[in-house]
């Protein structure tokens, strides 16, 4: 049985001997009916008894006894002469007094009943808490698996999740490819000109032509739509030369034009017009049609 601090303090005071008659009677009654409480009292007696043995006896000073005698009126200076009582003539028989029946001690079980009541209340609280926890678990399970069984106010709010779907960029539509072989008298090509119809960029690949020292090859566009040849720039010394200069011309002019190469001074013609007759010429032909799989 769990005892309160009041019960433990009561047992300690009983061991100390500081209780009044009623409290001592209460403790002795509890000890008569409760062995565990008796063990608590004995434990306190053992602890306090050890402390009592550690303290030695102290003899009071003589003045203390004189003060006690003076207080009770029995000092030696005021004592009257002692007189002996006269012996009685005949012994007188004392009246027979019947002994009173022994008092019946009634155990006070109020503390036991009170503690039992507290334990019952704690059991009721624990039962209610267990029931509430079970109900909460059941409600959470219904919210997760069968939310439609709950009232509208208890249903979980639907989660709205926005998913961004990235559409792949459309593949570029293949554009037509045009090629011109720039050559002299139907011989081996000196340059290969490639033109992309979508971007109007061109690439010149040097195949079999070598520029003379101090000279440069220059590419020209010759068309009936133009009053005079237009320079497309100097062909570099590397194998490939790429430029975007055809963007200024429409597709019809680009596809129908004649492309020619002249030999100019280093860096190209200073006047913007050919200074010599073309030595390599060619026209574009479509090698890859538009929308053709690559």
């Amino acid at each position: 049985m769990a005892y309160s601090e009041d019960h433990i303090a009561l047992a300690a005071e009983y061991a100390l001997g500081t209780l009044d008659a009623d409290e001592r009677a209460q403790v002795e009654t509890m000890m008569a009916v409760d062995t565990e409480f008796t063990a608590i009292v004995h434990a306190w007696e053992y602890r306090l008894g050890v402390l009592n043995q550690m303290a030695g006896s102290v003899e009071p000073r003589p003045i203390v006894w004189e003060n006690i005698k003076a207080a009770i009126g029995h000092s030696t200076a005021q004592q009257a002469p002692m007189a002996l009582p006269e012996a009685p003539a005949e012994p007188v028989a004392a009246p027979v007094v019947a002994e009173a029946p022994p008092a019946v001690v009634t155990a006070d079980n109020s503390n036991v009943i009170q503690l039992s009541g507290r334990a019952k209340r704690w059991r009721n609280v624990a039962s209610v808490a267990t029931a509430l926890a079970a109900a909460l678990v059941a409600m959470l399970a219904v919210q997760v698996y069968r939310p439609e069984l709950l009232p509208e106010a208890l249903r979980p709010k639907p989660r709205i999740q926005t998913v961004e779907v990235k559409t792949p960029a459309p593949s570029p539509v293949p554009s037509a490819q045009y090629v011109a072989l720039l050559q002299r008298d139907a011989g081996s090509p000196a340059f290969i000109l490639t033109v992309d119809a979508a971007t109007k960029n061109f690439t010149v690949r040097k195949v079999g032509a070598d520029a003379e020292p101090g000279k440069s090859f220059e590419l020209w566009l010759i068309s009936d739509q133009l009053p005079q040849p237009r320079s497309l720039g100097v062909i570099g010394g590397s194998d490939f030369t790429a430029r975007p200069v055809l963007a200024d011309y429409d597709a019809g002019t680009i596809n129908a034009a004649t492309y020619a190469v002249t030999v100019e001074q280093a860096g190209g013609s200073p006047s913007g017009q050919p200074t010599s007759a073309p030595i390599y010429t060619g026209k574009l032909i479509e090698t890859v049609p538009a929308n053709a799989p690559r």
Side-chain angles (χ1 to χ4, degrees), residues 95-208:
V96 179
V97 179
E99 295 183 357
V104 179
V105 178
T106 303
D108 186 4
N109 295 330
S110 60
N111 292 324
V112 179
I113 295 174
Q114 183 178 5
L115 293 176
S116 177
R118 290 180 181 177
K120 184 177 181 180
R121 285 196 297 272
W122 279 112
R123 285 196 298 269
N124 293 337
V125 171
S127 301
V128 173
T130 303
L132 290 176
L136 180 59
V137 171
M139 187 178 68
L140 291 176
V142 173
Q143 283 184 345
V144 174
Y145 298 104
R146 298 293 300 276
E148 67 276 5
L149 299 179
L150 295 174
E152 188 67 26
L154 297 179
R155 293 180 185 178
K157 295 182 180 180
R159 296 182 178 179
I160 300 175
Q161 185 175 4
T162 304
V163 179
E164 181 181 359
V165 179
K166 294 184 178 181
T167 305
S171 301
V173 178
S175 59
Q177 300 291 318
Y178 295 86
V179 174
L181 299 178
L182 306 182
Q183 55 191 356
R184 178 192 299 174
D185 300 330
S188 298
F191 300 95
I192 299 175
L193 173 67
T194 304
V195 177
D196 186 279
T199 62
K200 296 183 179 181
N201 295 335
F202 75 84
T203 302
V204 179
R205 178 180 181 183
K206 185 170 61 174
V207 179

Side-chain angles (χ1 to χ4, degrees), residues 266-282:
S269 173
S271 62
Q273 293 297 318
T275 60
S276 64
I279 58 175
Y280 304 110
T281 59

